[in-house]
């Protein structure tokens, strides 16, 4: 089977959707011919074969400029879409073509030239949830994807529900392929934890809520002076600088870590804090849980992890933003509660392996 994946980005550039695509694609059958078509960010190789996958990168873009503050500049989005179309034409026909939800313009400008079944992988549905002109454009482009795609892949049941209710997609045209966790991340036994260690992992961008976490942490230190906060990830330099100005004693910015370094952070942390206002299906939550680290996240309308990954009172806590401080204090002060959440978190993550998720994707691709 010959399959094309038209993606907004691909490793070495790493974010949640990139990790999802990478972990699913590399586990598809080795006998398949798989091509990834994606922009070239930050001087990555233009052409390479990566774990039996043909990767075709085009253009030359800077990730901070493109992903700044979670938005996508229209001029760059148009340029990327045009180059994606050229690459698709050059590679010929496919048995199936899978688009990532972002960049929305890429599907709009290329789908008419793709004769094979077209699938869209959705991590979130934002139509009707963004104000202003940007929200109107978002809704129109999402509707275009929903109506013209052959089949849809939803990251969880909530996204499937939104596709049905917002864009009126027939449930028969939607398959759920969840996010998973790499088996290498799963701790075989309870690791040694650093008492009071909080961890954040993700992009440093406003909608991730790191600024709110830093303000909460400064208050937490008054009742738990031994508490520390490690922040893993990178983002726009000016925004990162503003975060560092909010940091109090006990906060460390670690930047981007290697896989082994990241696993060590998960294993030493008592809690992962996910203060995101907008989240599709949090990969870092699963990775933390695999290492006996429960998750505290906020109950925000666009944070879908609250219903997909974090089960309140079982493997973590879901609280109102105004109650985040109380939640952190409660877990750090109650060892029985923390141990229960930790054990359940590990059990939950073990059931969400990438191998199982990739098998589901394989079945979907064979069926279209």
């Amino acid at each position: 089977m010959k399959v094309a994946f038209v993606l907004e980005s691909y490793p070495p550039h790493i974010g949640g959707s990139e990790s999802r695509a990478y972990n699913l694609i590399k586990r598809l059958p080795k006998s398949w011919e798989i091509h990834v078509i994606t922009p070239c960010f930050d001087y990555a190789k233009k052409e390479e074969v990566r774990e039996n996958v043909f990767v075709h990168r085009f253009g030359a873009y800077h990730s901070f400029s493109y992903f700044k503050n979670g938005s996508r500049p229209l001029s760059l989005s148009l340029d990327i879409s045009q180059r994606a179309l050229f690459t698709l034409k050059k590679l010929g026909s496919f048995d199936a073509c899978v688009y990532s939800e972002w960049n929305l313009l890429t599907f709009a400008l290329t789908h008419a030239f793709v004769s094979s079944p077209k699938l869209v992988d959705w991590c979130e549905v934002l139509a009707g949830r963004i104000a202003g002109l940007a929200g109107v454009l978002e809704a129109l482009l999402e509707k275009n994807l929903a109506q013209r795609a052959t089949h849809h892949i939803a990251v969880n049941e909530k996204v499937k529900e939104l596709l049905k209710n917002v864009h009126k997609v027939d449930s028969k045209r939607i398959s759920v392929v969840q996010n998973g966790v790499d088996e290498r991340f799963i701790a075989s036994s309870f690791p040694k934890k650093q008492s009071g260690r909080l961890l954040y992992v993700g992009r440093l961008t406003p909608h991730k809520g790191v600024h709110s976490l830093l303000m909460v942490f400064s208050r937490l230190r008054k009742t738990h002076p031994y508490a520390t906060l490690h922040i893993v990830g990178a983002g726009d330099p000016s925004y990162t600088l503003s975060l560092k100005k909010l940091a109090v004693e006990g906060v460390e910015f670690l930047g981007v870590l290697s896989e082994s370094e990241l696993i060590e952070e998960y294993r030493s942390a008592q809690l992962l804090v996910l203060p995101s206002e907008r989240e599709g299906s949090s990969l870092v939550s699963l990775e933390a849980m695999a290492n006996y680290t429960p998750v505290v996240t906020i109950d925000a309308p666009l944070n879908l992890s609250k219903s997909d990954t974090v089960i309140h009172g079982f493997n973590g806590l879901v609280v109102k933003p105004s109650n985040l401080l109380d939640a952190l204090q409660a877990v750090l002060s109650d060892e029985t509660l923390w141990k229960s959440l930790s054990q359940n978190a590990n059990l939950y993550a073990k059931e969400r392996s990438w191998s199982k998720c990739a098998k589901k994707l394989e079945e979907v691709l064979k069926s279209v």
Side-chain angles (χ1 to χ4, degrees), residues 125-337:
V125 175
L126 297 177
R129 299 184 174 206
I130 298 177
L133 182 60
V136 174
L137 181 60
E138 171 78 27
L140 288 172
L141 290 172
E142 278 197 2
K143 186 176 182 180
N144 180 64
L145 263 72
Q147 292 179 343
R148 297 184 182 278
T150 310
H151 198 80
H152 300 278
I153 302 166
V155 72
N156 53 40
E157 290 292 339
K158 181 61 177 178
V159 170
K160 179 178 180 178
E161 179 185 329
L162 288 169
L163 285 171
K164 289 164 57 180
N165 296 338
V166 175
H167 293 305
K168 311 305 178 186
V169 179
D170 190 319
S171 60
K172 294 178 181 178
R173 293 174 54 218
I174 310 171
S175 299
V176 175
V177 178
Q178 291 182 304
N179 279 338
V181 63
D182 194 306
E183 290 81 355
R184 292 174 298 179
F185 278 80
I186 300 174
S188 57
S189 60
F190 205 102
K192 183 178 180 180
K193 299 288 185 178
Q194 293 291 323
S195 181
R197 171 69 53 77
L198 306 182
L199 178 65
Y200 168 84
V201 180
R203 286 192 181 123
L204 303 186
T205 190
H207 75 267
K208 292 291 188 178
V210 185
H211 53 287
S212 299
L213 173 58
L214 286 167
M215 289 187 284
V216 167
F217 180 77
S218 68
R219 296 165 61 195
L220 178 68
R221 287 275 295 192
K222 295 176 181 178
T223 57
H224 294 72
Y226 61 90
T228 55
L229 171 61
H230 283 190
I231 296 176
V232 177
D236 177 69
S238 61
Y239 180 67
T240 302
L241 180 60
S242 71
L243 293 177
K244 290 182 177 179
K245 290 180 179 179
L246 290 173
V248 297
E249 186 179 355
V251 177
E252 288 188 50
F253 288 82
L254 304 181
V256 178
L257 301 182
S258 67
E259 182 180 281
S260 60
E261 291 171 330
L262 180 57
I263 290 174
E264 184 56 38
E265 286 296 321
Y266 285 137
R267 292 187 177 169
S268 63
Q270 254 198 290
L271 291 171
L272 178 80
V273 188
L274 188 71
S276 302
E277 298 167 6
R278 196 184 99 206
E279 196 76 43
S281 180
S282 173
L283 285 173
V284 298
S285 293
L286 285 171
E287 291 172 351
M289 290 178 186
N291 291 284
Y292 293 88
T293 303
V295 180
V296 177
T297 191
I298 63 169
D299 186 4
L302 297 183
N303 180 7
L304 303 187
S305 287
K306 65 185 181 183
S307 57
D308 167 63
T309 308
V310 185
I311 303 171
H312 182 70
F314 177 72
N315 57 13
L317 298 179
V318 181
V319 299
K320 294 179 180 179
S322 58
N323 293 337
L324 181 57
L325 175 61
D326 292 339
L328 296 176
Q329 290 173 329
V331 180
L332 293 179
S333 302
D334 188 338
E335 187 173 359
T336 301
L337 171 61

